[in-house]
Amino acid sequence: MARPSASLHLPGAVAQPITAASTPLAVTSKASSVRWRIFAIIFALTMVNLIDRVSLSIAMPTIAHEFSLLPSMQGLILSSFFWAYALLQIPGGWMIDRFGPHRVISWSTGLWGTFQVIAAFATGGLSLLFARVALGAAEAPLFPSGGKLISLWLAPSERSRGAVLMDSGSPLGVALGGLIIAYLIASLDSWRLAFVIAGIATLVLAWLARRYLRDDPATHPQVNAEELEKINAGRATPAAEAARVPVKGLGIAARSLSGLLIGRASWAMVYFGLLTWGPSYLAQARGFDIKGIGAATFVIFVCGALGSLTGGFLCDGLIRKGVSRGVAVKSLLAFSGLVALGAFLLLPTLSNPFAAVALLAMTAFFLMWGSLYWSFPALLAAPARVGLIGGVMNMAGSTGGIAVPILVGVILQMAGGFAPVLGFFAVCSAIFVLATLFISLDEVRYG
């Protein structure tokens, strides 16, 4: 099979197209590593994405005092981000498949940086709410775009690492975001300047994404023949060509799609449950003060980021050792859900608050193996539908993220304590395991 053309640039030589005939004369001895620099940029984008999201939570006490916001209005503003974010997942996924992730990421990152800056000029609760809705709309395509880049830039044997490199920026952004934004607000004595700085940092990343990302590895000027061979290893057709082949419907088996959506939603219930109600649990059930809450949250989510990376590298390592892709991915995900299930059942029995934090940190470490879910769209969906399936999957997760703060609040109000809440998280963990096992990777036709 003829290899796709690419450009190889050597010092002092005129660039020539690489073809099957010319490859022996043009190749170098070592493969370039552009694909991993691509995902380093995606990692930075997801980390800043979460920093921008949590900036409002950190600044809300100051903003509420300045604008005289009632608690109900504060709640609306804090939740408004997810309204547009969830609704635009599917349209965003369609745009990714139609226009390519390079263009969509560049524009969406530029827009969300702009709206982050605009939020700094809010004059009241209503204008701030509109800025947050716009921010959620602009951020919607990022994770599905990353899923599409996984299919375009990584061979099946490397996709687990790509998935976790992308998704590990999320818990790290949560861990660092609180510290960074709080420091900026305190040192500058202005939440507005903190928002402007965060927005400008995002705009710089938008420029970098525009300059460096490409949809087709063969068109990237820094990709050499050896790396192109690694990217296309195990493919019948190069991904960029396959993505242009039209398909009917969603291009994914109904059984696997059901498992994918239920599994992602239940996982998100646990993750966003810890994110939104974790500080209250630490304060009310474990007696931590504000400094202790900040330190404990940092430790928990840093462990989550490390766990995400560990799960991805471990999964690809198992596949290289001959373990089938389905067994490797689903076994690691099921194990992570079972660890979370056991931890939530064990937490009410612990009396030492520091032991509880240690257990939550361990839970986050294994729970973030759920980042492997971002390898599923590229494995299960037709290449022309990877962006759309990623958007559908992320919409399910976002819906879980919207629902869980409300559900936990109701449970807490009715029960008067956190023990039933932890039981609810245990149930969500069990559903996550069962739904993941329902996904059939034996149906992989495109990986």
Side-chain angles (χ1 to χ4, degrees):
M1 182 183 69
R3 294 177 51 192
S5 62
S7 295
L8 177 66
H9 297 280
L10 299 175
V14 177
Q16 298 292 335
I18 298 172
T19 63
S22 63
T23 296
L25 298 177
V27 298
T28 61
S29 59
K30 185 178 180 181
S32 53
S33 56
V34 173
R35 65 197 187 282
W36 299 120
R37 291 196 287 272
I38 293 283
F39 283 92
I41 293 173
I42 300 301
F43 169 84
L45 284 169
T46 57
M47 185 172 66
V48 171
N49 180 283
L50 267 293
I51 291 174
D52 286 348
R53 286 194 210 181
V54 304
S55 61
L56 182 64
S57 298
I58 302 301
M60 182 52 77
T62 305
I63 294 173
H65 177 74
E66 180 178 332
F67 292 160
S68 300
L69 299 178
L70 295 174
S72 57
M73 187 60 180
Q74 294 178 47
L76 283 174
I77 295 171
L78 287 168
S79 67
S80 61
F81 170 92
F82 283 101
W83 304 346
Y85 184 82
L87 287 173
L88 291 180
Q89 288 298 315
I90 294 177
W94 176 85
M95 289 176 61
I96 293 160
D97 289 328
R98 175 68 177 82
F99 300 107
H102 174 211
R103 188 181 301 178
V104 173
I105 285 177
S106 301
W107 277 101
S108 68
T109 307
L111 286 172
W112 108 54
T114 300
F115 290 127
Q116 181 73 358
V117 173
I118 289 174
F121 296 92
T123 57
L126 195 59
S127 58
L128 185 59
L129 184 147
F130 284 129
R132 290 294 290 184
V133 170
L135 181 69
E139 289 191 9
L142 175 60
F143 282 90
S145 292
K148 184 78 169 185
L149 286 172
I150 288 170
S151 73
L152 294 171
W153 275 88
L154 297 178
S157 61
E158 296 179 330
R159 287 178 181 165
S160 298
R161 279 170 285 170
V164 301
L165 281 172
M166 175 180 75
D167 206 35
S168 62
S170 173
L172 190 60
V174 173
L176 294 177
L179 297 177
I180 293 172
I181 297 299
Y183 172 79
L184 288 174
I185 293 174
S187 59
L188 299 173
D189 194 27
S190 171
W191 63 269
R192 297 178 186 275
L193 288 177
F195 279 25
V196 169
I197 291 172
I200 291 173
T202 302
L203 291 172
V204 171
L205 282 176
W207 172 84
L208 179 62
R210 179 67 180 171
R211 293 270 298 177
Y212 199 77
L213 301 185
R214 298 289 188 280
D215 295 334
D216 186 350
T219 66
H220 198 292
Q222 297 178 18
V223 172
N224 65 11
E226 286 81 7
E227 183 173 21
L228 198 60
E229 186 174 349
K230 286 189 174 186
I231 291 169
N232 290 321
R235 304 179 195 259
T237 306
E241 294 180 22
R244 292 190 286 268
V245 178
V247 297
K248 293 182 179 180
L250 292 177
I252 183 174
R255 169 185 167 177
S256 292
L257 181 61
S258 300
L260 192 71
L261 300 185
I262 296 171
R264 190 62 181 180
S266 55
W267 178 89
M269 289 276 202
V270 180
Y271 176 73
F272 286 109
L274 289 176
L275 185 62
T276 55
W277 282 100
S280 296
Y281 170 75
L282 293 172
Q284 297 175 27
R286 297 298 177 178
F288 283 90
D289 60 15
I290 187 64
K291 291 182 179 179
I293 291 171
T297 301
F298 177 80
V299 169
I300 290 168
F301 283 97
V302 164
C303 286
L306 293 174
S308 177
L309 293 171
T310 300
F313 280 81
L314 179 59
C315 186
D316 279 347
L318 291 173
I319 293 171
R320 286 197 302 272
K321 289 182 180 296
V323 178
S324 73
R325 186 183 308 145
V327 170
V329 175
K330 291 169 67 174
S331 296
L332 292 178
L333 287 170
F335 179 74
S336 72
L338 290 173
V339 170
L341 170 62
F344 288 124
L345 294 177
L346 181 60
L347 264 174
T349 69
L350 298 180
S351 58
N352 189 309
F354 296 103
V357 170
L359 183 57
L360 284 171
M362 184 201 71
T363 304
F365 180 90
F366 288 104
L367 181 68
M368 283 307 299
W369 287 11
S371 297
L372 290 170
Y373 255 65
W374 279 110
S375 67
F376 282 146
L379 294 174
L380 295 169
R385 291 288 184 269
V386 171
L388 179 60
I389 295 304
V392 172
M393 186 185 82
N394 209 31
M395 184 192 69
S398 300
T399 302
I402 293 171
V404 71
I406 300 170
L407 292 174
V408 170
V410 171
I411 294 171
L412 194 60
Q413 184 170 323
M414 293 178 61
F418 274 92
V421 172
L422 298 174
F424 170 73
F425 289 157
V427 171
C428 291
S429 300
I431 295 173
F432 166 65
V433 172
L434 294 174
T436 299
L437 294 176
F438 199 67
I439 298 170
S440 177
L441 289 181
D442 294 334
E443 301 166 356
V444 171
R445 293 167 287 167
Y446 310 104

